[in-house]
Amino acid sequence: MNALTRIWHDGRRAERIAYAVGAALFTSGVVHAIVLIGSGGSWLGPLSMRKAVTFGLSFGLTLASVAWATSFLTVRPRLRTVLLGAFTTASVAEVVLVSMQAWRGVPSHFNFETPFDTAVSMSLAAGGGVLVLVVIGFTAAALVEPGPEAASLRLAVRAGLVVLLVALATGAVMIGRGVVAARGGDPQLAYTTAGSLKPLHAVAMHAILVLPALAWVLRFTRWPETHRLLVVKLAVAADAVLTAVIGVESFTGVPPFAAPLPVLALSVLAAAALAGTGIYALSGVEPPVRFTRIPIGKARGR
């Protein structure tokens, strides 16, 4: 618990703001989930309150993850503040606009029915562009700058940012496909073509949390850095295989659970290996040392 509270207290101002905003966005997702369940609404379709749930939960978690993972990078303070500030602002805009459209009962994406809806759809697309540019900036810094001293943490942050960039690029492709279909007069096709890439977008989105978190947990073990690096390399490889398999399935239109048995087995093995590295890391964490206070008299042998 002390290690977690230290993340907040040691964080820079921009990072603490991102943590707080991320918590608020995540809470928004939880509240919308309660509303959706309580109202008995549908979890399917472009008009579902589900989008407010998923955007709130996902962006809240991603924003906090990006703020924390990039705190290990050796980036100039002003540049870090600008990048993280832009990511925070864009995340808020995405969640607010999607939630607003959900409450209005209209689609948030690929909706060009009115000038206002068109402005919302284009703003969401622009916000996605900002997110991509920010992550490109952080990724470039991670690859060029020295970064964390521990090689395991350095690899985890770099890999997490690269996979996050894959997720955001996939989102950009989803928007591009959907806009073309919607502008062509077939909004249903827009949701269908964009929706086929959702598995890849979802799987790749949170590597920025999973991989750095694994490297961070490994710091609390007695294992040498060479061993910790080996565990992180295994996790990065497993995540890369899982992302690649889901990516091929998404772009070929094959649902993950309807894939051929060998492909399904490969994705299951990759996911199991990734989860296994986390369990292995947790098994090596040493409990904090507790010191027992001894009365002064007894300590002096009296």
Side-chain angles (χ1 to χ4, degrees), residues 123-149:
S123 296
L124 288 169
V130 171
L131 295 173
V132 171
L133 291 176
V134 169
V135 175
I136 288 176
F138 274 130
T139 304
L143 296 175
V144 174
E145 300 292 339
E149 181 178 348

Side-chain angles (χ1 to χ4, degrees), residues 154-299:
R154 187 163 61 248
L155 173 62
V157 172
R158 288 174 174 175
L161 285 169
V162 169
V163 180
L164 176 60
L165 196 54
V166 171
L168 295 177
T170 302
V173 173
M174 291 168 63
I175 292 174
R177 282 184 171 185
V179 168
V180 170
R183 291 291 193 183
D186 194 344
Q188 186 56 46
L189 178 62
Y191 299 116
T192 302
T193 55
S196 66
L197 297 179
K198 282 183 180 179
L200 174 59
H201 184 64
V203 168
M205 193 76 171
H206 300 296
I208 188 60
L209 171 61
V210 174
L211 296 177
L214 171 66
W216 181 75
V217 170
L218 286 168
R219 296 169 65 187
F220 297 95
T221 67
R222 284 187 176 179
W223 299 329
E225 173 58 18
T226 53
H227 186 69
R228 297 199 297 265
L229 179 59
L230 182 62
V231 176
V232 171
K233 284 182 177 179
L234 177 60
V236 170
D239 186 77
V241 170
L242 180 61
T243 303
V245 172
I246 298 299
V248 171
E249 292 173 348
S250 296
F251 278 99
T252 56
V254 177
F257 295 106
L261 187 58
V263 177
L264 181 60
L266 182 59
S267 60
V268 170
L269 286 174
L274 185 59
T277 58
I279 296 172
Y280 178 69
L282 289 172
S283 70
V285 173
E286 299 214 320
V289 178
R290 295 182 178 274
F291 297 95
T292 303
R293 181 174 294 180
I294 303 175
I296 296 178
K298 291 185 179 180

Side-chain angles (χ1 to χ4, degrees), residues 85-104:
F87 197 93
T88 302
T89 302
S91 298
V92 171
E94 295 286 307
V95 174
V96 169
L97 291 176
V98 167
S99 300
M100 177 189 68
Q101 295 295 74
W103 280 103
R104 292 182 64 224

Side-chain angles (χ1 to χ4, degrees), residues 23-109:
L25 297 180
F26 190 88
T27 301
S28 170
V30 172
V31 170
H32 281 100
I34 295 172
V35 171
L36 179 56
I37 295 172
S39 64
S42 173
W43 287 84
L44 303 175
L47 303 182
S48 173
M49 188 70 73
R50 178 203 78 255
K51 296 191 70 173
V53 175
T54 56
F55 268 67
L57 296 177
S58 184
F59 269 99
L61 194 58
T62 301
L63 173 57
S65 301
V66 168
W68 173 68
T70 57
S71 68
F72 298 106
L73 299 179
T74 50
V75 181
R76 293 192 301 274
R78 181 171 297 181
L79 177 60
R80 182 196 306 275
T81 299
V82 170
L83 290 175
L84 194 53
F87 197 93
T88 302
T89 302
S91 298
V92 171
E94 295 286 307
V95 174
V96 169
L97 291 176
V98 167
S99 300
M100 177 189 68
Q101 295 295 74
W103 280 103
R104 292 182 64 224
V106 298
S108 54
H109 293 81

